[in-house]
Amino acid sequence: MPATPAALEALRLDLVDLLGDRGVSADPKTRERASVDEATMSPILTEQLPLGLADLVAYPASADAIAQTVQAAARHGVPVTTRGKGTGNYGQGIPLDGGLVLDTSRARAVVEVGDGVITAEAGTPMVMMEQAAAAQGQQLWMYPSTAQSTIGGFLSGGSGGTGSISHGSNWEGFVTALDIALPGEDGLLHVEGDEAQTFVHTYGTAGVIARATVRLEPLQDWRAVYASFPTFERALTAVRTLRGLTPAPRLVSADRAEIAATLPKDTPVVAGAASLRGIIDATALEDATGLIEVAGGTVVEVREGLQQTTKVSMLSYNHPIWWLKRNTPDTVYFHVEVGGEALIDRIADVEGVYPGGMLHIEAAHRFPIGMLTAPYTGADDVYAGYPLLEALGVRVHSPHQYYVDHGVEDLVALKQRTDPDGVLNPGHIVDPALVDPALVVTGGSTASAQPASAASTGIPGFGK
């Protein structure tokens, strides 16, 4: 339920005492900026915007202050939606019931770099953690394609990215410990191992990640590799074979010429050619070049350094679709997250599900994944393609929803223990069994939802 004006004012005064005058804002423009993320990637979600507007925005500057802020909001019955850098693609950070948006971006401190682990506060950018690890001869297991995203945001709303070829998703052993802010707790709840995993990819609905400890591995000497191919089909062959390199690549992405042409101008892209980008271990560079050439491609350029490999990361996952949308403003594009060997073996059939379909592909942990994009002709047409893709052996995840659809039953049980009053990010948990074309009412919020066939079929979000 939305908070009353009296409760909001009482909370604002408490937060001024706790965080200072600059630690809380009721300014309308600040509230508007804090109430949106990259949900505009989805034309279906865009048609529903605005979904919610914050009444207050708070900026706690430490893990302990995050906990105190959550607890203050709970005392006044004000809903809390947690925010990192706002780079999520699904509307998971939109405050559906208004209330308080808790912006963690000022809680940005690397607490400790240990042997095989690093601890940082929730608002710490992933690239900052990577740099701290590198200074100690180590590297993160993984980081999202938007490397400037925060660790709290990545663990709450993301799933994979650079490093996922070797290590899978961020709930598969990446996290060793979390410090969680809860409405009914004094201070922070410390959880480790399997218990910590239960709070990952839950959109802050069961607890607010205030501090995280995640895994490191020995530092490798990476190269940013750019290659071109006369056809996308040949690039797909290289995506499959490069994944098998030893040591494994940190990232391999590829696009048709039409998508590649919309990428930033400093990208080594050959006009009219399919583009492949990879982050390759220096010791495997000769083998990688051979595999690219066997597939009919040409290495265009090889670059060194963290800045260059980070740039390749920023050309992966959702980013090529974002550039396509930005640089072709006369056409509205949608995308669907897809996975499976059929993306390579049956590419013509996969792209043919939607008129004008084009695939962006990633080499991933178990099977290739990608973003299938096409001109948007309506939500019903998007959803109608899901069973057709599944019939081709393609796994589908819908990016057109702002509620958690991974492990929902366990999440509901967890939330009953940690947030029984429903203070945390209300409206972002919907039982997939209840989802249908009608309006779904949950947590005091009315949400336009898609058919049950549009729910996750095994790939719970790919991260930005």
Side-chain angles (χ1 to χ4, degrees):
M1 292 288 293
T4 66
L8 290 165
E9 177 59 14
L11 174 60
R12 188 189 69 81
L13 293 174
D14 279 0
L15 293 178
V16 169
D17 288 341
L18 175 64
L19 307 174
D21 288 333
R22 298 185 63 187
V24 60
S25 177
D27 172 70
K29 293 193 176 193
T30 300
R31 292 161 50 208
E32 288 174 8
R33 287 194 298 270
S35 300
V36 296
D37 59 11
E38 290 291 332
T40 51
M41 281 282 292
S42 163
I44 295 175
L45 289 177
T46 299
E47 290 170 351
Q48 301 173 43
L49 294 175
L51 288 167
L53 177 65
D55 296 293
L56 295 171
V57 185
Y59 303 92
S62 69
D64 289 336
I66 289 172
Q68 293 168 337
T69 300
V70 170
Q71 289 143 22
R75 284 196 304 272
H76 294 287
V78 176
V80 178
T81 301
T82 311
R83 177 182 176 87
K85 283 291 184 66
T87 60
N89 299 125
Y90 313 114
Q92 61 264 58
I94 294 176
L96 300 180
D97 280 3
L100 177 71
V101 165
L102 192 161
D103 186 314
T104 64
S105 61
R106 294 184 189 174
R108 44 180 295 147
V110 174
V111 177
E112 182 181 12
V113 180
D115 183 11
V117 292
I118 184 171
T119 301
E121 296 194 329
T124 307
M126 298 293 291
V127 69
M128 180 175 165
M129 296 173 65
E130 178 79 345
Q131 291 166 341
Q136 302 285 337
Q138 301 180 85
Q139 64 190 27
L140 290 166
W141 262 26
M142 67 183 72
Y143 60 85
S145 56
T146 307
Q148 294 82 10
S149 296
T150 65
I151 180 63
F154 177 51
L155 296 181
S156 296
S159 57
T162 302
S164 284
I165 292 175
S166 292
H167 299 298
S169 299
N170 60 10
W171 57 81
E172 297 181 283
F174 179 51
V175 179
T176 66
L178 297 173
D179 290 311
I180 304 291
L182 296 175
E185 293 273 340
D186 288 330
L188 292 161
L189 173 68
H190 184 76
V191 290
E192 299 183 358
D194 291 343
E195 189 177 3
Q197 307 301 328
T198 62
F199 289 93
V200 176
H201 201 74
T202 60
Y203 298 2
T205 56
V208 175
I209 295 173
R211 187 185 297 120
T213 301
V214 297
R215 293 193 185 276
L216 303 176
E217 60 190 357
L219 182 65
Q220 292 172 254
D221 185 14
W222 297 107
R223 297 291 186 270
V225 176
Y226 297 84
S228 68
F229 292 81
T231 68
F232 185 54
E233 288 71 18
R234 293 190 181 188
L236 293 177
T237 298
V239 169
R240 174 172 277 165
T241 56
L242 287 169
R243 182 189 176 281
L245 280 172
T246 303
R250 218 173 184 195
L251 186 81
V252 179
S253 303
D255 292 289
R256 286 196 174 276
E258 294 88 343
I259 296 178
T262 67
L263 297 177
K265 295 303 180 185
D266 64 341
T267 306
V269 170
V270 175
S275 169
L276 181 146
R277 288 87 56 197
I279 302 177
I280 307 295
D281 189 289
T283 63
L285 190 57
E286 184 176 346
D287 289 342
T289 300
L291 291 174
I292 289 168
E293 291 176 349
V294 166
T298 302
V299 173
V300 177
E301 194 167 335
V302 177
R303 298 175 174 178
E304 297 184 35
L306 179 59
Q307 182 178 4
Q308 295 301 329
T309 55
T310 301
K311 187 175 292 186
V312 171
S313 295
M314 297 285 286
L315 299 174
S316 67
Y317 287 78
N318 283 328
H319 289 264
I321 307 305
W322 187 89
W323 284 107
L324 174 70
K325 290 169 65 72
R326 173 177 175 174
N327 290 326
T328 53
D330 293 337
T331 302
V332 176
Y333 284 93
F334 74 95
H335 74 285
V336 177
E337 296 173 346
V338 290
E341 298 298 338
L343 302 187
I344 295 175
D345 296 332
R346 306 186 68 177
I347 180 60
D349 293 332
V350 170
E351 291 184 325
V353 166
Y354 297 111
M358 297 182 290
L359 178 70
H360 163 80
I361 194 166
E362 300 279 340
H365 188 53
R366 296 180 179 86
F367 44 76
I369 63 175
M371 317 295 161
L372 179 61
T373 187
Y376 181 62
T377 55
D380 288 346
D381 293 339
V382 174
Y383 300 143
Y386 291 8
L388 301 179
L389 289 167
E390 292 166 10
L392 294 171
V394 175
R395 300 186 180 211
V396 177
H397 178 267
S398 177
H400 311 295
Q401 57 198 39
Y402 48 75
Y403 50 83
V404 182
D405 64 356
H406 171 56
V408 176
E409 186 174 326
D410 291 339
L411 175 57
V412 169
L414 176 64
K415 187 176 177 70
Q416 287 173 347
R417 300 194 307 272
T418 60
D419 181 32
D421 294 328
V423 171
L424 300 177
N425 211 1
H428 288 270
I429 300 178
V430 176
D431 184 347
L434 301 178
V435 176
D436 59 38
L439 293 181
V440 174
V441 181
T442 178
S445 299
T446 301
S448 178
Q450 72 266 18
S453 63
S456 173
T457 58
I459 320 171
F462 292 156
K464 180 169 180 279

